[in-house]
Amino acid sequence: MTSIDNHGLTCLDGSDVAAVSLLLQSNAATIDSSLDAIADSLNAYNTRSWAVTTTNAAVTGSSTSNELVSGSFPPGFSLLAGSLSTQSFGMDSPPNFLAPILPTGWYLTGGIATFQATGAVTANSRRDLILYWTKTVSGQTVFEYSLNTVYESNTGGDALTVTGKFFADGISRYSLNLNFAHNNTGSTMQVNAGTKCWIAYIGTGVVV
Amino acid sequence: MTTCTPLFGLPVVEGSDRPCDIDQWSCDFASAVESQLDTLDGIVQRTATTVPMAKVISTVPVTFGNETTSGSTPNLSFDTVAVDTDNMFNSSFPEQIFFPTKGMYGMHLNVWATTTGGANQDAFGGSIKLFPGLSGSFSTSLNVAFNGTNFNATTGAIYLSLLGEWPVTVDGSYIVAGTFLFIQSTDTLTITRAEMGAFWMGDLS
C-alpha cells in the first residue's frame, strides 16, 4: 500500500488490490483519530476560560479621613499624594472561578466602577481605578498593574474603566484585584454596587 | 466512478465499477480525505496553539510639552516585546504594530505618566489609531480607542487605559496601529511607561 502525505492515510497499488479490507480498516482508524484531534482543538478554543465578578452592595469609606476600607498596596506600588487607601474587589488567589491553576497563556482583564463623594466634593481631586495582577513565588509577591485616572470637576460622580493584558505561567497561583483610590479631602467616597472585574483567556502566546 | 459525497466531494465506489479499479479509487479517496484534513488543520492551527497577538512596552521615559495641534501630537515609541506571535512588531518601526493576519482585533493601551504641576482642568489623553500603511498621516487615521482625563496643579502621577476593537483587512498592504497623545497644559508631562497590544478575536467573513 502507498502512504498519502501528512495524516498516514494509505491507498492500494496494483500489487495489493486484494488488501481492500485492510485498507478500509487502516484508513477508517486514521480518519477517526485525525477528526478526534481536530474536534478536541476546536472544543478547547470554544471553551476558553473567562469570568466576571460584580459587587452587590456599595462600599463606603469608614472614616472621615477620606479613606475607604484599607487594603494593602502591592510591594513597591507608589502611594498617591494625600490620604489614600484602597478597597479590593475581584478575584483572590487561588481563583475560585476556574481550575486551581490558571492555564498558561495571556489573559485580558478589566474593571469598571462608578463612584461619588458621600459629602463635600473636593474640586479637581483625583480618583484612580487600579487593576493589579499578582503571584507569589518563593514567598515573594510579584505583580503587574494597569490604572486609569480621572480628576473630579465638582460636578458629581464619575466612572472609570481600566484594562490590562497579563501572562500566567501555568504553575503559579495568581490574584486579580480591582482597587479604588482617591484624595477627596472633603468627605469619604462611595464605590457603587455593580462594580465589575473580569478576565478572559486570549491564547498561549507560543507559536508552534 | 462518477459519484462523490455531496459535501466534501469524496469519491464513492459504485456497483458498476470494476473490481480491478479499486486501487485507483482508494488513492483518489485517500487524497480527497487528506485534502480536507489539511484544510481543517490549517483552520485549527490558528486557534488551538495561539492566536495572533502582541504586547510591546515603552520603558524609556519621554517628556512632552503642550501638544494639541493635529499632526504634531507625539507618538509613543516601543522598545520591549512582551509577546509577538505573528511578526506584528518590527524594531525598525518602533511606533507601530502590524497586522499580517486579517481578523477582528482587540487593541489596548496603558500609559503611566508624571506631571510637574500645571493648572486645574489641564487635559491629558491618548488614542490608538489605525493607518492604511507605513506612511499614513493623522488625517487618514482611524480612531480605534480613545480616552482622556484632566489633571490639576499639583505634581503627581497620572494614568490612561484604553481598549477598543476593529476589523483589520489585509489587501496587499499592512494596516498598522500607532498611538497619539495629547497634552493641553503649560506643564510638561513625562511618560514613564506605556504598553500597547493587539490580539486576534475572530475571523472576518
Side-chain angles (χ1 to χ4, degrees):
Chain A
M1 286 192 282
T2 302
S3 179
I4 300 291
D5 292 334
N6 304 321
H7 293 85
L9 297 171
T10 53
C11 68
L12 299 170
D13 57 37
S15 63
D16 56 13
V17 171
V20 171
S21 298
L22 183 61
L23 167 75
L24 294 175
Q25 184 180 52
S26 173
N27 279 347
T30 300
I31 293 169
D32 190 75
S33 174
S34 297
L35 291 177
D36 191 58
I38 291 171
D40 281 348
S41 294
L42 289 172
N43 282 332
Y45 175 75
N46 286 333
T47 56
R48 288 180 291 177
S49 301
W50 63 270
V52 180
T53 63
T54 188
T55 60
N56 296 320
V59 176
T60 303
S62 61
S63 72
T64 57
S65 58
N66 312 309
E67 294 182 349
L68 296 177
V69 175
S70 63
S72 58
F73 282 101
F77 191 92
S78 301
L79 279 177
L80 301 171
S83 300
L84 299 172
S85 189
T86 66
Q87 169 64 42
S88 293
F89 308 101
M91 309 158 189
D92 293 330
S93 179
N96 59 8
F97 56 95
L98 295 171
I101 302 295
L102 284 177
T104 187
W106 287 86
Y107 291 80
L108 185 69
T109 63
I112 56 175
T114 62
F115 35 85
Q116 66 272 340
T118 58
V121 175
T122 305
N124 303 302
S125 58
R126 65 181 294 144
R127 291 92 172 86
D128 285 343
L129 193 62
I130 308 154
L131 186 69
Y132 69 92
W133 174 260
T134 68
K135 72 174 183 180
T136 301
V137 180
S138 300
Q140 300 293 318
T141 300
V142 297
F143 67 97
E144 294 182 69
Y145 60 94
S146 297
L147 308 95
N148 207 358
T149 302
V150 68
Y151 279 76
E152 171 60 33
S153 301
N154 203 14
T155 58
D158 287 286
L160 279 173
T161 296
V162 64
T163 187
K165 189 163 74 184
F166 305 117
F167 181 74
D169 60 19
I171 300 173
S172 306
R173 292 183 180 274
Y174 290 84
S175 170
L176 179 66
N177 286 277
L178 186 67
N179 287 8
F180 177 77
H182 71 95
N183 67 350
N184 189 79
T185 56
S187 69
T188 58
M189 292 286 301
Q190 174 177 296
V191 179
N192 298 316
T195 294
K196 292 179 176 56
C197 184
W198 49 271
I199 179 171
Y201 180 71
I202 301 173
T204 65
V206 177
V207 179
V208 176
Chain B
M1 289 171 282
T2 59
T3 302
C4 296
T5 59
L7 294 179
F8 293 107
L10 305 177
V12 176
V13 177
E14 298 176 293
S16 57
D17 292 324
R18 299 182 302 170
C20 61
D21 291 333
I22 198 71
D23 58 336
Q24 183 62 50
W25 165 82
S26 73
C27 290
D28 291 345
F29 177 79
S31 294
V33 172
E34 173 72 18
S35 176
Q36 295 302 325
L37 289 177
D38 284 345
T39 299
L40 287 174
D41 280 347
I43 296 171
V44 168
Q45 280 294 319
R46 284 210 306 277
T47 61
T49 55
T50 189
V51 299
M53 73 168 88
K55 177 178 175 178
V56 293
I57 305 170
S58 170
T59 63
V60 178
V62 58
T63 298
F64 298 111
N66 196 17
E67 302 276 0
T68 58
T69 305
S70 297
S72 66
T73 50
N75 298 338
L76 293 170
S77 182
F78 300 93
D79 52 82
T80 303
V81 177
V83 61
D84 182 2
T85 64
D86 196 28
N87 294 318
M88 298 173 73
F89 183 74
N90 183 336
S91 58
S92 298
F93 304 96
E95 299 178 352
Q96 294 160 330
I97 284 181
F98 300 89
F99 297 91
T101 303
K102 70 176 182 179
M104 176 67 84
Y105 280 83
M107 301 172 211
H108 57 91
L109 174 67
N110 295 87
V111 182
W112 289 249
T114 58
T115 69
T116 56
N120 290 339
Q121 310 306 319
D122 281 350
F124 171 49
S127 63
I128 300 174
K129 290 183 174 289
L130 284 179
F131 301 90
L134 288 175
S135 57
S137 67
F138 190 95
S139 62
T140 62
S141 66
L142 171 72
N143 266 337
V144 174
F146 177 86
N147 196 11
T149 187
N150 52 341
F151 57 100
N152 62 20
T154 58
T155 302
I158 190 169
Y159 311 97
L160 278 182
S161 180
L162 291 74
L163 177 68
E165 59 182 62
W166 199 260
V168 175
T169 59
V170 178
D171 301 307
S173 62
Y174 293 149
I175 295 292
V176 300
T179 62
F180 271 81
L181 302 180
F182 73 84
I183 301 100
Q184 187 168 8
S185 172
T186 56
D187 179 23
T188 58
L189 188 144
T190 299
I191 308 299
T192 56
R193 178 182 176 90
E195 300 176 354
M196 181 171 71
F199 53 95
W200 182 92
M201 298 172 65
D203 275 329
L204 300 180
S205 59

